[in-house]
């Protein structure tokens, strides 16, 4: 009997143990993935009291990465997503970070420019969305009237690109002012940085197009610029090497992302957040060696996409990931880390309430009842 306590503690899966991310101690290795929910204020895209409660409920995560947050009006692609470029946005996010910190949580802002995945009704002066090249994406966006085809974009001029970098810097400065612990750049899912990376979207013939080095230039310039606002260990990036989301395609994804991650490693940033496989589809959607990225990068590796409790525990135990991000399960289970730890039943997400709406399907999912006090051993 005397060994029961020791064996019980030894059996705690590594997934539920603390992790050191730079100078931040994460209480576990369960990450809340960015989740677009379209519930910012309808008049100014600022976070509100409902958003505060939503994130507060989920502060048991080792790390929360917020929903994608546009760095400018030009960067917005969907209705009612939050911004981080006005004073009202900073004030709204400050209430969120205060609530998460009061619960002992750690929270990073995901900074986002959608590029061509937008509609002119969301753009300043109803202009065309911007992109590396004037190629319309085969995808839809969400505006007040519902889902609709994205608008035809225009190619960014060379002299506009420094302004994009500056918008990311301004957003990082606002994230700092709002009390965020760090930032994640959205370099995935066919949005602007990903559009520049991929030969399917980027047909430029200047310094930002053609070779892999040129296509990666904007992403690396943004990384370098925001790492002057936050310590580099508090900067991460999300990538999705093979996910076809929003018409993201490249002929040689392994070569592209091997190069990018090698360059990110040189910069010493905190983490790469890798969507393995196709979003909402198979993890083995296309052949890709994710462990090559893991081995090439000395920072933390956050694995994402379709992880179950068993898969997540296994990935961390085997050293294939440092942390594992969960998306839809976090929508329905505000106390997901505790449920996973206890192997408790999980609430089922209500897909009808994912995008837009009110508290229903947002802050009304039940948490587990507190466990009864266990008798003394």
């Amino acid at each position: 009997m005397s060994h029961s306590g020791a064996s019980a503690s030894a059996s705690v899966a590594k997934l539920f143990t603390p992790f050191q991310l730079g100078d931040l101690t994460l209480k576990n290795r369960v990450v809340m993935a960015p989740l677009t929910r379209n519930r910012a204020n309808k008049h100014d895209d600022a976070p509100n009291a409902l958003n505060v409660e939503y994130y507060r409920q989920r502060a048991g995560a080792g790390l929360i990465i917020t929903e994608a947050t546009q760095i400018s009006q030009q960067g917005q692609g969907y209705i009612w997503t939050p911004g981080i470029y006005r004073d009202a946005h900073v004030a709204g996010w400050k209430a969120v970070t205060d609530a998460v910190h009061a619960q002992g949580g750690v929270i990073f802002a995901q900074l986002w420019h959608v590029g061509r995945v937008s509609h002119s009704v969301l753009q300043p002066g109803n202009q065309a969305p911007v992109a590396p090249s004037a190629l319309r994406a085969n995808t839809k966006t969400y505006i007040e009237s519902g889902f609709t085809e994205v608008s035809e974009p225009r190619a960014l001029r060379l002299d506009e690109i420094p302004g994009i970098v500056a918008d990311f810097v301004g957003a990082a400065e606002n994230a700092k002012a709002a009390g965020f612990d760090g930032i994640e750049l959205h370099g995935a899912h066919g949005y602007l940085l990903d559009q520049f990376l991929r030969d399917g979207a980027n047909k430029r013939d200047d310094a930002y197009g053609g070779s892999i080095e040129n296509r990666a230039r904007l992403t690396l310039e943004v990384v370098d610029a925001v790492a002057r606002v936050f310590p580099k260990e508090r900067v991460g990036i999300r990538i999705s090497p093979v996910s076809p989301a929003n018409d993201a395609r490249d002929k040689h994804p392994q070569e592209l992302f091997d190069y990018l991650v090698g360059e990110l490693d040189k910069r010493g940033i905190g983490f790469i957040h890798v969507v393995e496989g196709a979003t909402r589809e198979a993890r083995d959607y296309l052949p890709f060696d994710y462990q090559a990225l893991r081995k090439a990068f000395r920072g933390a590796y956050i694995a994402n996409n379709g992880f179950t409790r068993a898969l997540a525990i296994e990935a961390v135990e085997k050293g294939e990931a440092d942390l594992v991000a969960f998306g839809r399960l976090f929508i329905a289970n505000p106390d997901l880390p505790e449920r996973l730890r206890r192997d408790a039943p999980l609430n089922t997400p209500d897909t009808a309430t994912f995008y837009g709406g009110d508290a229903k399907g947002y802050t009304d999912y039940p948490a587990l009842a507190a466990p009864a006090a266990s008798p003394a051993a």
Side-chain angles (χ1 to χ4, degrees), residues 16-38:
F16 307 112
T17 62
F19 181 78
Q20 199 65 31
L21 181 67
D23 62 340
L24 293 168
T25 303
L26 310 184
K27 55 193 166 191
N28 56 56
R29 296 157 185 256
V30 177
V31 176
M32 178 174 164
L35 293 156
T36 293
R37 305 300 307 277
N38 309 85

Side-chain angles (χ1 to χ4, degrees), residues 214-260:
N214 281 357
R215 285 182 275 127
R217 189 181 307 276
L218 177 60
T219 298
L220 295 171
E221 284 179 352
V222 171
V223 169
D224 290 340
V226 298
R228 291 192 282 270
V229 178
F230 278 91
K232 61 182 188 293
E233 301 82 5
R234 292 184 179 221
V235 173
I237 186 169
R238 192 181 210 201
I239 54 175
S240 54
V242 302
S243 181
N246 293 314
D247 206 13
R249 310 199 179 273
D250 193 87
K251 291 192 192 75
H252 305 288
Q254 190 80 51
E255 198 181 341
L256 171 62
F257 285 93
D258 284 353
Y259 170 77
L260 178 68

Side-chain angles (χ1 to χ4, degrees), residues 64-293:
I64 291 175
I65 304 169
T66 69
E67 64 207 274
T69 303
Q70 58 263 11
I71 61 171
S72 62
Q73 190 185 341
Q74 183 197 70
Q76 183 169 9
Y78 306 83
I79 194 106
W80 309 320
T81 55
I84 193 158
Y85 57 93
R86 291 191 180 128
D87 290 347
H89 301 156
V90 175
W93 280 121
K94 182 75 169 70
V96 170
T97 64
D98 284 350
V100 169
H101 290 148
Q103 300 288 318
V106 175
I107 183 167
F108 279 35
Q110 192 193 55
L111 305 185
W112 190 33
H113 192 307
V114 299
R116 66 183 185 166
V117 185
S118 187
H119 193 282
S120 56
V121 298
L122 299 170
Q123 292 290 311
N126 294 332
Q127 295 168 26
V130 299
S133 303
L135 297 169
R136 185 173 179 156
N138 180 22
T139 192
K140 287 185 159 62
T141 185
Y142 184 64
I143 59 174
E144 203 150 0
S145 56
F147 282 97
T148 186
E149 298 291 328
V150 297
S151 297
E152 186 86 32
R154 67 171 182 84
L156 280 162
R157 300 188 314 272
L158 195 56
D159 65 358
E160 290 178 290
I161 291 178
I164 300 285
V165 178
D167 284 343
F168 273 103
V169 170
E173 288 168 343
N174 284 342
K176 200 172 199 179
F180 281 104
D181 299 299
I183 51 174
E184 175 180 278
L185 298 172
H186 200 336
H189 296 163
Y191 298 117
L192 186 69
L193 297 179
D194 203 24
Q195 289 159 31
F196 269 85
L197 287 169
R198 295 179 187 272
D199 58 18
N202 183 345
K203 307 295 184 186
R204 300 177 76 93
D205 58 8
D206 59 16
Y208 292 88
S211 67
I212 284 174
E213 292 80 3
N214 281 357
R215 285 182 275 127
R217 189 181 307 276
L218 177 60
T219 298
L220 295 171
E221 284 179 352
V222 171
V223 169
D224 290 340
V226 298
R228 291 192 282 270
V229 178
F230 278 91
K232 61 182 188 293
E233 301 82 5
R234 292 184 179 221
V235 173
I237 186 169
R238 192 181 210 201
I239 54 175
S240 54
V242 302
S243 181
N246 293 314
D247 206 13
R249 310 199 179 273
D250 193 87
K251 291 192 192 75
H252 305 288
Q254 190 80 51
E255 198 181 341
L256 171 62
F257 285 93
D258 284 353
Y259 170 77
L260 178 68
V261 169
E263 288 297 310
L264 293 170
D265 180 66
K266 290 176 191 172
R267 286 157 171 81
I269 64 167
F271 66 82
I272 53 172
H273 178 182
V274 185
V275 179
E276 299 178 347
T279 316
R280 297 189 194 154
E281 293 183 52
R283 287 177 45 74
D284 58 355
Y285 173 77
L286 281 174
F288 192 90
D289 184 358
Y290 297 102
Q291 287 307 298
L293 305 186

